[in-house]
Amino acid sequence: MIIYPVKNVPGYTIGGKAKGLLKLLEAQVTVPDFLVLPAENFDTIVKAKDATTVSISDQLLRFTLSKPEEEKLRQILSGWDFPNRSIIVRSSIADEDGTHDAFAGIMSSYMNLRNYDDVIEAVGKCAASAYSAEAVAYRQYKQLSAVARPAVILQQQIDADASGVVFSTYPQYPQEMAVHALWGLGEGLVNGELDPDEFYLSKKDGTVVHQKIALKDKHYQMHEEKGIQLLDVEEDRQQIHSLTEEHLREIFTISTRLEKRNGHPQDIEYVISNNKLYFVQSRHITQEIPDVIVYDNSNIQESYCGVTTPLTFSFAQHAYATVYFQTIILLAIPEQVMTTYTPVVNNLLGLVQGRIYYNINNWYRCLQLFPSFKQNKEDMERMMGLEEPVDFITDTEKSFREKLSMIFPTFFNLLRLFSAFRKLEKSVAEFHSHITKHYERFYKLQDAFANPVQLLEQKYLLDKELMGNWTTPIINDLYVMMMNGKVRRKLLKAGILDTDEFLSRYLAGNQEIESAQPAILMQKLSLKAMEQDELKALIILLPDDVHTQIKAQFPAFYKEVEGFIHVYGDRTVGELKLETITMRLSPKIFYSYLRNYLTTSNSFQTSALSHLHESAVKDLEEKLKDHSVFFKKTVYKSLGKLQKSIQYREALRLERTRLFGMYRTLYLAAGELLKEKNVLMEVRDIFYLTQDEIEILLLDKPGFEIEGVIDERVATFEQYKKEEVAAQVTIPPLRSTKPELVDEDPSVLRGTGCVPGQLTAEIIVIDGPDSDLDVSGKIVCALRTDPGWVALFPTCKGVLIEKGSALSHSVILLREFGIPAIINIPGLTKKLSSGQQISMDGSTGEIKLL
């Protein structure tokens, strides 16, 4: 059976490499013409009773085609201008080039074939290579079936001016695409023999992030009679780029498309001939590629400023997850989707050097549950204040059938969402009433925190009745986000380009905003204090017991202050950090705020900001004068809805502040109980524990040993306060643009880290097949490696290679096996000798002699 032109034929196995080529064709990528001899051609040999590896290999080497198939093959090859043009024969076994098993460089290929008998002989050799020592060792290590089913590819050979390999996502720096290239055939690159040019492109836009131009004094070329020859490169070409900017742009564009189509990073081989780019292989990158996680604190630092504590982070992370699960339930998202999204929603926040950040990736993933991903993404980025939007998470591509199946669920989700939006006025009022009832009840409790069980009962009650019923604020936040985006688009259409500046003026001076109320009330209290000289003097003096003195000397004023603190006592700088000392905990803070009103001539008046609103109204009227009446109405209506929703949001945020205040009270009470039990030295040590740890300690459960934990965490978080951290942090970090420091220490060597991992072991230097090959438990050191080393890799602990490409087949295998590896280490085999003890770091590329 010969499959040509190549397509998916039911009942026939074309193998992994052929499937990769077929996907390239489907992606409309230029591929040299090829045909496939499917695995079924060889099944009578492979599946023979009592067959052994040796007998299978021997019979595959003698494989021939039937007369009809031979005639068909000759006709196809004639159409390829064979034998005037060469043919390459390549293996394509059934489980090759899969998601986890690459067989990189292990299977055979035969090039420059111009004789029909040589082609048939190469077919048999390719099929038999599935049972080579290297292939058998690889299968054993990967625990694959011992029965390999080889298919074989025949393909037009391209005369290569340059060749190379692309990793559409580079495992070491997943934000980059790696492109390696050299002159002539790619043989010297994939077997690790020649040093290639290296180009690392930003996955965002294809710009070159880093490059290394090698000295390319040798290259492999095809000779009509002598076959593959290693020849000298002309001197004027040895140190120039082997790829033009146009080639790099084309490689970037096509590789990006292939990764997206395949839904997985691709290992791609390409050839350039007469300035034309051909792709000759595309397969999944099998080694693990870390997720790129972007943390951003542009907006969340308003709530959690600076370094926080473990308790605040664990509480905030749980709170965000609880609230957003309610949104998913509201939208009637299917249970299996909810299960998939559990780790996403549980990690909406991250802790970076003691500071709370948004895990931006997961926020984007949550947006995928809603229609109009792109528009909602833009709106959310503006709400979060992201200065550098992230593009690692995009909307998932859906087939027509998938889109069709989503019509009704999406429609009903939108109905639920818009229904919730319409009911906001009523639901907000009900929410305030619900919170107030529990708030008043909570602060009337007397002895409810006297023992751990009662305290935890009160916590569970808050979890269930308040945090577990937080749907209204999140629905309103969604409404604010969407209305803000809608208003912005309308303002842009009206001709207002700086929409943020306009809205800041338009929304100014609104005295109904709840966040303005504490300042307004405090101003009123300051006016009353100014009427009494002795009271004013006492507040300005601000003794530690100021609240107690005012209670004794000015009881009426004291009562008003108590009323203020009862309503707004948790509203302060850093109010969502549980460790923050608030006005409720220390009334002196209230008086320190009030003193500012008594010692300055400036008074706070929201009405003083009304001129900003009026100027914005005039600007809007001017911009709208040439627009239709209908458009004007929609603009003003949208602005009104946005203003109302922001008013709701500020009022609801006060309820959040109160909720956090109640939890703060509970945890401080827990600190008192644990101090009484001699578990904690100080009450406020409670903030250096997590929610789960506190519950374990309160109930004397096993599973957490506290000895030494508090001191260690206090020291760690104090150190965090001395460190500066960027507003946006990417993990793994982006490639450093700083020049590498030259280490003069002769006991330290440096190379390029390729496979992460830290270890200490004895080294063994291998010069060739005659060297001692007892690598078990040792770190292998070599000038170069090739896929033939596959039988050695599984038993060694690490690999150091003096020269080589990060995209060579041997390094691909090391990544797949997860064996720490470092390459490009100058003078490695001369500086080290077998038996020495070293430590190596596969991430940093650092090697230390011990």
Side-chain angles (χ1 to χ4, degrees):
M1 171 67 180
I2 298 173
I3 301 177
Y4 182 80
V6 179
K7 57 186 176 180
N8 283 316
V9 180
Y12 288 94
T13 306
I14 65 174
K17 196 175 272 92
K19 285 181 181 178
L21 290 171
L22 182 56
K23 288 181 178 180
L24 287 173
L25 288 178
E26 292 170 348
Q28 298 181 331
V29 174
T30 303
V31 178
D33 206 358
F34 68 101
L35 62 82
V36 180
L37 299 176
E40 284 69 23
N41 286 291
F42 311 101
D43 276 351
T44 54
I45 297 172
V46 170
K47 296 181 179 180
K49 189 177 181 181
D50 300 326
T52 65
T53 299
V54 175
S55 67
I56 292 172
S57 177
D58 185 57
Q59 291 189 58
L60 287 174
L61 288 171
R62 298 196 297 270
F63 173 81
T64 58
L65 288 170
S66 66
K67 291 294 183 182
E69 293 295 321
E70 182 180 337
E71 182 60 32
K72 180 179 179 180
L73 179 59
R74 287 181 182 273
Q75 288 179 359
I76 296 169
L77 296 183
S78 178
W80 291 355
D81 195 24
F82 177 84
N84 294 322
R85 295 188 61 183
S86 299
I87 298 296
I88 180 170
V89 178
R90 312 168 69 193
S91 66
S92 180
I93 59 175
D95 44 9
E96 183 181 10
D97 291 356
T99 304
H100 304 290
D101 312 304
F103 288 86
I106 293 174
M107 310 305 297
S108 294
S109 294
Y110 295 89
M111 304 174 69
N112 201 38
L113 301 174
R114 288 177 177 254
N115 178 280
Y116 181 79
D117 291 338
D118 291 342
V119 170
I120 296 301
E121 182 182 350
V123 168
K125 288 180 177 179
C126 274
S129 70
Y131 290 87
S132 68
E134 292 85 0
V136 170
Y138 181 88
R139 286 183 168 279
Q140 289 174 345
Y141 180 78
K142 301 287 285 186
Q143 298 183 331
L144 300 174
S145 168
V147 179
R149 297 187 64 221
V152 177
I153 298 167
L154 277 66
Q155 189 169 29
Q156 287 183 333
Q157 184 171 305
I158 303 298
D159 294 330
D161 300 320
S163 305
V165 176
V166 180
F167 269 33
S168 63
T169 297
Y170 184 43
Q172 195 75 3
Y173 295 101
Q175 306 90 335
E176 299 174 7
M177 176 184 295
V179 182
H180 289 194
L182 38 61
W183 296 123
L185 300 170
E187 187 77 10
L189 189 158
V190 297
N191 67 18
E193 184 179 354
L194 300 180
D195 295 331
D197 292 340
E198 301 179 17
F199 305 92
Y200 298 93
L201 316 180
S202 166
K203 291 198 67 175
K204 184 175 182 179
D205 56 16
T207 55
V208 178
V209 175
H210 173 73
Q211 68 180 25
K212 175 184 174 184
I213 305 305
L215 173 64
K216 301 176 292 298
D217 56 351
K218 300 285 184 181
H219 66 155
Y220 277 101
Q221 285 290 0
M222 193 63 67
H223 190 278
E224 288 188 12
E225 297 176 358
K226 298 180 180 179
I228 300 176
Q229 298 286 300
L230 182 61
L231 305 173
D232 292 333
V233 174
E234 298 90 333
E235 191 171 342
D236 61 348
R237 299 175 68 224
Q238 290 181 4
Q239 291 182 300
I240 65 172
H241 293 204
S242 53
L243 292 178
T244 65
E245 291 183 7
E246 291 76 12
H247 289 146
L248 278 174
R249 281 197 295 269
E250 189 176 359
I251 289 170
F252 172 77
T253 301
I254 294 174
S255 300
T256 300
R257 189 166 84 238
L258 290 174
E259 178 175 302
K260 191 170 184 180
R261 282 181 64 92
N262 286 282
H264 193 91
Q266 296 292 290
D267 170 0
I268 303 163
E269 294 182 16
Y270 64 88
V271 171
I272 296 171
S273 179
N274 295 322
N275 211 36
K276 186 174 181 179
L277 180 66
Y278 298 85
F279 282 72
V280 297
Q281 177 177 292
S282 182
R283 64 186 178 199
H284 286 351
I285 294 175
T286 51
Q287 57 264 39
E288 184 177 350
I289 296 177
D291 286 336
V292 177
I293 303 174
V294 177
Y295 293 107
D296 195 287
N297 69 356
S298 298
N299 259 13
I300 201 167
Q301 276 289 288
E302 294 178 8
S303 301
Y304 299 97
C305 51
V307 173
T308 185
T309 60
L311 177 56
T312 290
F313 174 68
S314 69
F315 177 77
Q317 190 175 46
H318 172 71
Y320 271 79
T322 301
V323 166
Y324 279 88
F325 267 123
Q326 293 170 51
T327 308
I328 291 175
I329 293 169
L330 174 75
L331 295 176
I333 302 297
E335 187 174 345
Q336 65 270 25
V337 177
M338 287 183 63
T339 302
T340 302
Y341 269 76
T342 296
V344 175
V345 177
N346 283 338
N347 290 282
L348 291 171
L349 301 181
L351 193 67
V352 180
Q353 290 177 264
R355 297 157 175 87
I356 295 182
Y357 281 66
Y358 290 125
N359 182 329
I360 298 300
N361 303 55
N362 285 344
W363 283 86
Y364 286 163
R365 289 185 178 107
C366 285
L367 282 185
Q368 290 176 330
L369 295 170
F370 300 89
S372 304
F373 173 84
K374 184 177 180 181
Q375 180 174 299
N376 288 336
K377 177 177 180 287
E378 291 174 358
D379 293 345
M380 187 186 75
E381 287 167 351
R382 295 188 69 82
M383 288 285 289
M384 283 185 163
L386 289 183
E387 296 179 5
E388 300 178 49
V390 181
D391 296 314
F392 297 126
I393 304 297
T394 58
D395 199 12
T396 51
E397 283 193 3
K398 301 176 181 67
S399 66
F400 176 76
R401 180 176 293 181
E402 288 173 326
K403 290 177 181 177
L404 194 63
S405 68
M406 290 180 64
I407 290 176
F408 288 109
T410 300
F411 174 73
F412 286 115
N413 282 348
L414 284 172
L415 278 183
R416 291 185 187 95
L417 198 57
F418 288 130
S419 174
F421 288 163
R422 286 196 300 271
K423 296 176 183 176
L424 269 174
E425 185 173 3
K426 179 182 178 183
S427 57
V428 167
E430 291 174 347
F431 183 83
H432 284 310
S433 176
H434 181 69
I435 292 286
T436 299
K437 180 182 74 174
H438 283 277
Y439 184 75
E440 297 296 336
R441 176 199 63 81
F442 182 87
Y443 285 110
K444 289 178 181 176
L445 297 172
Q446 297 296 322
D447 301 318
F449 313 143
N451 65 66
V453 173
Q454 288 178 327
L455 186 148
L456 288 172
E457 284 177 354
Q458 292 302 318
K459 178 188 176 297
Y460 300 150
L461 187 64
L462 292 183
D463 290 345
K464 179 182 177 182
E465 293 296 326
L466 299 187
M467 194 178 294
N469 284 288
W470 211 259
T471 304
T472 297
I474 200 64
I475 289 296
N476 188 70
D477 281 349
L478 282 171
Y479 189 61
V480 170
M481 182 187 82
M482 292 179 179
M483 285 307 304
N484 189 61
K486 183 177 181 179
V487 165
R488 178 177 171 272
R489 287 183 283 275
K490 287 185 179 296
L491 292 176
L492 288 171
K493 186 176 180 180
I496 297 175
L497 301 181
D498 193 345
T499 56
D500 291 338
E501 186 277 337
F502 171 82
L503 285 173
S504 69
R505 288 189 289 127
Y506 190 88
L507 299 173
N510 184 0
Q511 295 199 42
E512 295 182 12
I513 293 291
E514 185 62 53
S515 56
Q517 296 308 304
I520 294 171
L521 293 177
M522 198 168 283
Q523 184 186 30
K524 291 178 179 178
L525 286 170
S526 71
L527 293 174
K528 291 186 177 182
M530 290 180 75
E531 294 173 357
Q532 304 178 64
D533 292 340
E534 292 181 5
L535 174 58
K536 177 182 175 182
L538 179 58
I539 295 171
I540 292 174
L541 184 61
L542 201 65
D544 288 340
D545 63 344
V546 59
H547 195 47
T548 303
Q549 289 193 44
I550 287 176
K551 180 180 181 181
Q553 300 175 43
F554 308 97
F557 190 79
Y558 171 85
K559 187 175 180 181
E560 290 198 60
V561 171
E562 281 287 285
F564 178 92
I565 289 176
H566 179 67
V567 178
Y568 297 110
D570 299 302
R571 175 131 283 182
T572 188
V573 176
E575 63 189 24
L576 299 189
K577 296 168 70 172
L578 297 179
E579 63 271 18
T580 296
I581 299 176
T582 63
M583 292 182 281
R584 184 183 303 280
L585 301 177
S586 175
K588 183 182 177 181
I589 295 173
F590 165 81
Y591 293 104
S592 67
Y593 293 158
L594 190 63
R595 183 171 63 171
N596 293 329
Y597 289 86
L598 301 177
T599 57
T600 179
S601 58
N602 296 324
S603 60
F604 175 81
Q605 293 182 356
T606 55
S607 58
L609 302 175
S610 61
H611 72 281
L612 296 175
H613 173 74
E614 292 167 2
S615 70
V617 170
K618 288 180 181 178
D619 288 348
L620 183 59
E621 289 174 350
E622 179 64 25
K623 293 291 185 182
L624 291 176
K625 67 181 182 181
D626 294 328
H627 287 270
S628 66
V629 173
F630 175 76
F631 181 72
K632 291 177 184 177
K633 285 184 177 179
T634 60
V635 170
Y636 284 115
K637 186 176 181 180
S638 296
L639 280 166
K641 289 181 177 180
L642 175 62
Q643 191 166 24
K644 191 70 174 176
S645 63
I646 289 175
Q647 185 175 320
Y648 287 154
R649 183 184 66 184
E650 295 308 309
L652 293 169
R653 283 182 174 177
L654 175 63
E655 304 295 16
R656 180 184 64 180
T657 302
R658 290 172 174 169
L659 176 66
F660 276 53
M662 287 186 269
Y663 277 105
R664 182 183 290 112
T665 300
L666 281 173
Y667 282 121
L668 284 170
E672 294 279 2
L673 291 174
L674 291 177
K675 185 181 178 183
E676 290 173 9
K677 294 169 65 175
N678 294 319
V679 175
L680 298 179
M681 293 291 292
E682 302 293 339
V683 171
R684 292 185 64 80
D685 287 346
I686 195 76
F687 298 116
Y688 290 91
L689 300 171
T690 67
Q691 288 191 107
D692 292 341
E693 291 166 353
I694 291 168
E695 183 167 328
I696 289 171
L697 294 172
L698 284 173
L699 298 178
D700 296 317
K701 291 181 180 179
F704 175 61
E705 296 295 330
I706 193 173
E707 186 176 355
V709 169
I710 299 296
D711 290 342
E712 180 183 346
R713 290 181 184 174
V714 168
T716 298
F717 278 75
E718 283 301 314
Q719 179 59 37
Y720 286 151
K721 293 177 183 178
K722 302 174 184 177
E723 300 169 355
E724 291 187 11
V725 187
Q728 191 170 101
V729 176
T730 303
I731 298 176
L734 299 169
R735 185 188 295 271
S736 174
T737 57
K738 298 179 181 178
E740 292 186 9
L741 296 176
V742 178
D743 199 324
E744 300 294 339
D745 188 345
S747 67
V748 176
L749 283 71
R750 296 187 185 278
T752 302
C754 279
V755 187
Q758 297 177 333
L759 62 111
T760 299
E762 177 186 336
I763 64 170
I764 179 169
V765 178
I766 298 180
D767 298 320
D770 296 331
S771 300
D772 178 8
L773 300 181
D774 181 13
V775 303
S776 181
K778 299 174 184 176
I779 297 173
V780 171
C781 295
L783 180 66
R784 294 186 184 273
T785 60
D786 60 49
W789 294 55
V790 66
L792 296 177
F793 288 159
T795 59
C796 70
K797 295 185 71 174
V799 176
L800 305 176
I801 306 172
E802 185 166 330
K803 296 184 178 182
S805 165
L807 305 191
S808 69
H809 283 154
S810 57
V811 176
I812 290 172
L813 291 171
L814 288 168
R815 288 201 195 95
E816 190 177 325
F817 294 165
I819 298 171
I822 303 172
I823 67 170
N824 294 328
I825 310 157
L828 171 71
T829 53
K830 290 183 175 64
K831 294 178 180 178
L832 299 185
S833 54
S834 296
Q836 289 180 297
Q837 287 280 327
I838 68 160
S839 65
M840 63 175 287
D841 187 327
S843 294
T844 65
E846 184 177 84
I847 304 152
K848 292 182 179 179
L849 280 68
L850 304 178

